[in-house]
Amino acid sequence: MARILIVDDAKFMRMTLSTILTKAGHEIVGEGENGRDAIRLYRELQPDLVTLDITMPEVSGIQAVKEIKNEFPNAKVIMCSAMGQQKMVVEAIESGAKDFIVKPFDASRVADAIEKILN
């Protein structure tokens, strides 16, 4: 299974995703709460995959995915968004994200997105 980094400014969302992913057999190798954390932790941990919230303080998820993909072109990134953020989701995909999942998280949708990207 995959080594996954979870980045979201809401602790509850990190916990929710962590629970879903752990139950699916994945290992959570790190957690961050903003885009700056995402970039730093990606460099340190080089996970198989990162889930990245779009809207975060300090550095946005979109800016973080751009920087991660610039430095690590093969990085696998799934964006997490709230409903109504379609414009930002499109920008994130154009910036290199492989997929997106919508909050509140549906466990089967999360699992499907992860499997699709890893395979």
Side-chain angles (χ1 to χ4, degrees):
M1 286 297 160
R3 298 170 61 255
I4 300 176
L5 169 62
I6 298 173
V7 183
D8 195 301
D9 57 326
K11 183 165 181 56
F12 174 76
M13 289 298 169
R14 293 195 309 271
M15 286 173 43
T16 302
L17 259 183
S18 181
T19 299
I20 291 169
L21 295 170
T22 303
K23 283 183 180 173
H26 300 290
E27 177 188 359
I28 308 309
V29 294
E31 290 186 13
E33 55 189 45
N34 59 54
R36 192 176 329 281
D37 286 348
I39 297 161
R40 177 180 55 79
L41 289 168
Y42 197 94
R43 284 182 186 133
E44 282 176 26
L45 304 169
Q46 300 207 8
D48 299 320
L49 185 138
V50 59
T51 65
L52 197 53
D53 187 19
I54 287 183
T55 310
M56 293 185 290
E58 294 186 45
V59 175
S60 74
I62 291 173
Q63 187 58 41
V65 75
K66 286 178 182 176
E67 289 194 37
I68 289 168
K69 291 295 285 187
N70 185 49
E71 200 170 324
F72 301 93
N74 295 324
K76 293 180 170 108
V77 180
I78 294 180
M79 301 306 292
C80 304
S81 72
M83 290 297 238
Q85 291 184 315
Q86 284 84 348
K87 184 174 178 245
M88 285 191 274
V89 167
V90 169
E91 186 179 349
I93 299 292
E94 289 171 349
S95 298
K98 301 283 186 197
D99 201 351
F100 69 95
I101 48 180
V102 177
K103 298 175 186 179
F105 299 121
D106 173 82
S108 63
R109 171 68 182 106
V110 171
D112 289 348
I114 302 274
E115 293 311 311
K116 184 174 86 177
I117 289 172
L118 293 175
N119 295 327

